[in-house]
Amino acid sequence: MEKSIWVLRIGQRYVRDDRTLTHLCLVSRALGAERIYLEDAEKDVTATLEEVNRTWGGNFEAVLGASWGKTIKEAKKEGRSVIHLTMYGLPIQDVAPALRELDKVLLVVGGPKVPGKVYHEADFNVAVTSQPHSEVAALAIALHEIQNGEELKRAFQKSKLRILPSARGKRVVEN
Amino acid sequence: MEKSIWVLRIGQRYVRDDRTLTHLCLVSRALGAERIYLEDAEKDVTATLEEVNRTWGGNFEAVLGASWGKTIKEAKKEGRSVIHLTMYGLPIQDVAPALRELDKVLLVVGGPKVPGKVYHEADFNVAVTSQPHSEVAALAIALHEIQNGEELKRAFQKSKLRILPSARGKRVVEN
């Protein structure tokens, strides 16, 4: 069964042209999430996503301006499990079997400043290694593990362009 | 058997405080690569990596200033397979079984401007979805798939600090 995955980005102030934020949005979209909640962002992020949807398909969306507390509360109310990605959490390879059982998920991606309360609100605190690296990479591996690789097979509806995978070179077709 | 993985970043000019470049380095380190080749970078990247090694262990290194052509040539000469990550390539879920057979790998991460020749020099052109997202995420999933998740179990030697994974909160010990 296809899961319903939402992503929530917390603990980072928005700066214009923040590549990390854009990457978090695009990775969420490409790897099977339905939407991303951003506490603090500007319209240029939404514009980028609309352009990507128009060209490459699907209807992924960014929700701007909701507080993390409210987003977690509402997610729980409608039966979502909250998975918080943190290098201090339990190894993803150990909890992946449990995570794959969940149908509805809110995946929380922390920035440099995550309130301590998030660790307690979360149903799972999960580490993609206990080494410092990248929230973009942690999100990607988590989406991949939770969906057991199924997200890679997904087709995006209503795209203007589509890539034909090839061993050499670039093949793109217009739909 | 543990694989030997090198990463090569090509096709992007260096800008100071480039978070993407730092993330590529840290993800390579955290997920089992031995080193990363950067064509165009400055000493602050090396300094960051040295600090991370000192605190969190291991001896990952960045090699600065080598041309991509030379790096690929030398990698091939010593028997490495060249895997180029590109959204135009073959789906990683299809080629992963073949990639897992390789002992020595050079994983090439393209930036916005990748010379066409790279597609022909590569033994494998591999896509982590054919959707636009993030080279950091593509690198993470590729490292994860090539090593079949074994990289997550890796311990880093000679660290100053070590995290004790926990269900709630933060536990760090000094070694």
Side-chain angles (χ1 to χ4, degrees):
Chain A
M1 201 198 92
E2 207 164 283
K3 293 173 191 303
S4 166
I5 302 180
W6 296 352
V7 176
L8 164 64
R9 165 62 155 174
I10 59 173
Q12 180 155 64
R13 286 254 190 79
Y14 179 70
V15 281
R16 193 171 289 271
D17 297 326
D18 182 345
R19 298 258 303 166
T20 300
L21 188 61
T22 308
H23 282 200
L24 287 173
C25 293
L26 293 177
V27 168
S28 299
R29 175 188 170 278
L31 300 180
E34 292 167 13
R35 61 173 73 155
I36 187 168
Y37 288 85
L38 307 170
E39 287 192 282
D40 186 17
E42 283 178 27
K43 297 280 179 184
D44 55 341
V45 175
T46 326
T48 301
L49 287 174
E50 279 166 8
E51 179 55 34
V52 171
N53 284 344
R54 208 157 33 233
T55 309
W56 299 103
N59 47 13
F60 181 83
E61 59 176 347
V63 182
L64 308 190
S67 80
W68 67 264
K70 194 170 157 242
T71 304
I72 288 180
K73 202 169 161 183
E74 290 184 354
K76 283 185 168 180
K77 201 182 284 172
E78 64 131 71
R80 276 176 198 273
S81 300
V82 178
I83 304 171
H84 172 221
L85 297 177
T86 162
M87 70 191 283
Y88 301 99
L90 298 175
I92 192 158
Q93 64 273 29
D94 296 347
V95 293
L99 302 183
R100 288 184 196 130
E101 298 293 319
L102 307 171
D103 291 335
K104 293 162 73 181
V105 159
L106 179 71
L107 197 47
V108 183
V109 181
K113 293 249 170 204
V114 174
K117 212 182 156 194
V118 173
Y119 288 81
H120 293 276
E121 293 283 333
D123 298 300
F124 300 88
N125 289 286
V126 176
V128 177
T129 82
S130 294
Q131 293 287 325
H133 55 99
S134 158
E135 55 271 58
V136 179
L139 174 63
I141 300 274
L143 287 166
H144 185 60
E145 282 293 318
I146 291 170
Q147 296 170 98
N148 209 8
E150 291 297 317
E151 80 288 352
L152 297 175
K153 303 171 192 164
R154 192 161 169 261
F156 283 74
Q157 302 305 314
K158 292 186 191 167
S159 71
K160 211 159 68 183
L161 299 180
R162 192 162 42 90
I163 286 172
L164 300 180
S166 48
R168 295 269 180 282
K170 303 179 181 183
R171 289 193 300 168
V172 186
V173 289
E174 286 196 48
N175 282 334
Chain B
M1 200 199 93
E2 207 165 284
K3 292 174 189 306
S4 165
I5 302 179
W6 296 352
V7 176
L8 165 64
R9 165 62 154 174
I10 58 171
Q12 182 159 62
R13 286 254 190 81
Y14 180 70
V15 281
R16 192 170 290 272
D17 298 326
D18 181 345
R19 299 259 300 165
T20 300
L21 187 61
T22 308
H23 283 199
L24 287 173
C25 292
L26 292 177
V27 167
S28 298
R29 175 187 170 277
L31 300 180
E34 291 167 14
R35 63 173 72 154
I36 188 168
Y37 288 85
L38 307 169
E39 286 191 284
D40 186 18
E42 283 179 26
K43 296 280 178 186
D44 53 342
V45 175
T46 326
T48 301
L49 287 174
E50 279 167 8
E51 180 55 33
V52 170
N53 284 344
R54 208 155 34 230
T55 309
W56 299 103
N59 46 15
F60 181 83
E61 58 176 349
V63 182
L64 308 190
S67 80
W68 68 264
K70 194 170 156 241
T71 304
I72 288 180
K73 201 169 165 187
E74 290 186 355
K76 285 185 166 180
K77 202 181 287 174
E78 63 134 72
R80 280 179 193 270
S81 300
V82 177
I83 304 171
H84 173 221
L85 298 177
T86 162
M87 69 190 286
Y88 301 98
L90 298 175
I92 191 157
Q93 64 272 28
D94 295 348
V95 292
L99 302 183
R100 288 185 196 127
E101 298 293 319
L102 308 170
D103 291 334
K104 292 163 75 182
V105 159
L106 178 72
L107 197 50
V108 182
V109 181
K113 294 247 170 208
V114 174
K117 210 180 157 197
V118 173
Y119 288 81
H120 293 276
E121 292 282 334
D123 298 299
F124 300 88
N125 289 286
V126 176
V128 177
T129 82
S130 294
Q131 293 286 327
H133 55 99
S134 157
E135 56 272 58
V136 179
L139 173 63
I141 301 274
L143 287 166
H144 186 60
E145 282 293 318
I146 291 170
Q147 297 171 96
N148 208 8
E150 290 297 317
E151 80 289 352
L152 298 174
K153 303 172 191 162
R154 191 161 170 262
F156 282 74
Q157 303 307 313
K158 291 187 191 166
S159 72
K160 212 158 69 181
L161 300 179
R162 190 162 43 91
I163 286 172
L164 300 179
S166 47
R168 295 267 179 284
K170 303 179 181 182
R171 289 193 298 167
V172 186
V173 289
E174 287 194 46
N175 283 334

